[in-house]
Amino acid sequence: MKKVAIIHYQPLEYYPPTTNFLQYLEGNLNANVYVFTSKNQLNRAPYISRKIKINRASFPKKKDSFIISLFKQALFNFSTFLRLLIFRPHVVLYYETYSAFPAYLYLKFFNKEAKLLIHFHEYFSKEWYEGGMKLVKLYHKIEVDFLFKKAYFISQTNEYRVEFFLADYPFLQKSKLRVLPNYPPFVWSELLNNKVCNFPDDNKELKLVYVGSLSLKATYIKEFCTWLASCKHNVTFDIYSFNLDQETSDYLCNLNMPQVRFFSSGIEYSDLPAILKDYDVGLILYRGLSNNSKYCASNKLFEYMACGLDVWFSDKMIGTYPYITENTFPKVIKIDFENILQFDVEKAIDREGLPEVNNTYFAEKVYYNIIQELN
């Protein structure tokens, strides 16, 4: 039986597309799969698999000293490498530069015939690497000098990021690059049979929701709440976020707005469809401060759509423009949050005469294509 090693230094629970993929592998890949990752520090329910072995190392905490943090990273690298030597995988898939070092040691010195696949959740520019930690710079140099050339394929989440990546590393053949978008599983669609839609009944409250990481600097959360305070419509806004800085947390906790509720524990990913289906509009508020976020089609875009919500996103997110939908519903519309007083909410929620189109962005087709490479 083929052996597949998946190296994901960041805790799995912070990256639902990865746990979705592992869940799909359980029932669709005839192979022995071993995952190497870290223990999450944000009290997320640990991902457990019936068929896939998962090894977890300690992950650095914010309060750890530099030495302790360095030690934990080294422990992950070398414990993963030793387990790779024992496991002897035929295929190695690693996620992002943080996970590169154990793969390098194994492929460079012990199994040059193993097949290498690489996936990036985010696009990291050359400038990002230059301004980052020295250890990450070292990992990245190893990628450029060896791993990128060795890889059977390297994947990004959309075409924009592929083009940026190819511009950064022109020695790579375009045929080596893949697009693997972050879609939710098809099972989510089965929960929508009893979804109640408020549109366009003005007598019912309009339920808005935001799920995900938050920052006053990187998102328009403050601008949106300021607009909401003056909005004359019957609107409620729920915020689910466990990944935010103290300044943003203090702002939300001190809001004196009864129509806004902040749930600092977030939502477990498995609970998202059951909760989201009761809302009308999902928000994506990124400012687009880097090419990574500017040319991004957020996970939440597809998760909101899969749950039957309209989506309002920042007009700075150019990567979401291909999904704009205004003549059918659910709608996907861009908003200039810097001039939000000009936002026509009545037009945004109007569905009169518009046909409903079922969502088609589900992960199974994407995963099927990956499995062909793993076999």
Side-chain angles (χ1 to χ4, degrees):
M1 181 179 290
K2 184 164 285 188
K3 298 178 181 179
V4 178
I6 298 175
I7 308 173
H8 196 291
Y9 172 64
Q10 302 276 358
L12 293 176
E13 294 74 22
Y14 304 169
Y15 296 87
T18 306
T19 55
N20 284 341
F21 175 54
L22 294 179
Q23 202 161 9
Y24 185 80
L25 285 185
E26 284 189 17
N28 294 276
L29 180 66
N30 184 25
N32 189 1
V33 182
Y34 199 160
V35 177
F36 304 92
T37 188
S38 302
K39 300 175 183 176
N40 79 76
Q41 306 293 327
L42 297 176
N43 297 318
R44 311 319 295 166
Y47 176 78
I48 299 173
S49 173
R50 295 176 290 109
K51 297 181 179 179
I52 297 173
K53 186 174 182 180
I54 300 175
N55 186 80
R56 297 177 184 271
S58 293
F59 191 68
K61 300 178 181 178
K62 290 183 179 180
K63 64 181 181 180
D64 285 344
S65 67
F66 173 75
I67 297 299
I68 295 296
S69 178
L70 194 63
F71 174 76
K72 288 182 177 179
Q73 292 179 62
L75 188 62
F76 173 86
N77 284 330
F78 289 104
S79 65
T80 299
F81 168 60
L82 290 175
R83 287 181 169 86
L84 288 174
L85 288 182
I86 297 169
F87 184 50
R88 300 288 294 183
H90 306 100
V91 181
V92 176
L93 165 61
Y94 81 77
Y95 284 78
E96 301 190 327
T97 305
Y98 305 106
S99 309
F101 195 61
Y104 166 75
L105 293 176
Y106 178 70
L107 294 162
K108 176 73 173 178
F109 300 108
F110 290 92
N111 190 352
K112 296 181 180 180
E113 302 304 315
K115 189 176 187 179
L116 173 63
L117 315 177
I118 305 170
H119 180 69
F120 287 90
H121 294 297
E122 313 283 350
Y123 163 71
F124 300 103
S125 67
K126 285 188 171 182
E127 292 75 21
W128 183 90
Y129 283 112
E130 285 301 315
M133 297 185 300
K134 291 183 178 180
L135 199 59
V136 176
K137 287 183 185 178
L138 171 63
Y139 299 160
H140 185 54
K141 186 177 189 311
I142 289 168
E143 287 185 310
V144 174
D145 292 344
F146 177 74
L147 292 170
F148 286 172
K149 297 171 185 176
K150 164 72 176 173
Y152 181 78
F153 81 61
I154 304 169
S155 54
Q156 296 277 349
T157 60
N158 63 43
E159 292 282 0
Y160 292 106
R161 289 174 171 179
V162 165
E163 294 303 321
F164 287 131
F165 193 84
L166 285 170
D168 288 341
Y169 311 105
F171 60 85
L172 291 173
Q173 295 180 336
K174 187 170 184 179
S175 60
K176 184 177 284 192
L177 273 291
R178 303 284 195 279
V179 175
L180 299 178
N182 292 332
Y183 300 155
F186 182 75
V187 68
W188 283 28
S189 66
E190 298 174 359
L191 299 175
L192 299 183
N193 294 333
N194 297 320
K195 179 176 172 62
V196 177
C197 179
N198 291 336
F199 296 115
D201 189 344
D202 294 333
N203 295 320
K204 294 183 179 179
E205 67 182 12
L206 181 66
K207 297 180 179 179
L208 313 180
V209 64
Y210 178 91
V211 180
S213 59
L214 268 177
S215 163
L216 292 176
K217 295 178 181 177
T219 70
Y220 289 108
I221 185 63
K222 187 173 184 179
E223 288 81 353
F224 186 73
C225 287
T226 300
W227 170 81
L228 197 61
S230 62
C231 182
K232 295 181 174 59
H233 289 269
N234 183 14
V235 178
T236 61
F237 181 36
D238 288 349
I239 301 166
Y240 297 88
S241 179
F242 65 85
N243 186 13
L244 68 173
D245 56 52
Q246 191 60 51
E247 180 186 19
T248 308
S249 178
D250 291 343
Y251 168 76
L252 294 174
C253 290
N254 293 323
L255 271 179
N256 187 22
M257 295 176 60
Q259 67 270 49
V260 178
R261 297 187 298 177
F262 169 44
F263 300 90
S264 59
S265 59
I267 310 175
E268 291 293 350
Y269 187 78
S270 59
D271 296 331
L272 271 175
I275 292 175
L276 288 181
K277 70 180 180 64
D278 293 328
Y279 291 92
D280 303 308
V281 179
L283 285 134
I284 304 174
L285 301 171
Y286 298 119
R287 290 180 181 271
L289 299 180
S290 67
N291 280 344
N292 179 53
S293 61
K294 185 182 296 184
Y295 293 92
C296 166
S298 169
N299 300 1
K300 290 296 168 285
L301 168 67
F302 305 110
E303 291 160 6
Y304 291 150
M305 291 168 66
C307 293
L309 280 68
D310 278 17
V311 181
W312 298 351
F313 73 95
S314 162
D315 66 346
K316 306 302 184 292
M317 298 180 66
I318 297 171
T320 308
Y321 279 33
Y323 302 95
I324 290 175
T325 305
E326 296 179 336
N327 297 321
T328 60
F329 73 90
K331 291 183 178 180
V332 178
I333 62 176
K334 60 182 173 65
I335 296 177
D336 181 359
F337 287 103
E338 294 179 5
N339 296 285
I340 194 169
L341 292 180
Q342 300 175 15
F343 174 49
D344 187 344
V345 66
E346 289 87 355
K347 181 179 179 182
I349 66 176
D350 182 18
R351 292 182 171 182
E352 186 174 358
L354 300 184
E356 181 177 9
V357 175
N358 293 330
N359 175 60
T360 59
Y361 300 107
F362 295 109
E364 280 71 11
K365 184 176 181 180
V366 175
Y367 297 156
Y368 175 82
N369 292 334
I370 303 177
I371 282 182
Q372 306 315 303
E373 311 290 2
L374 293 178
N375 284 325

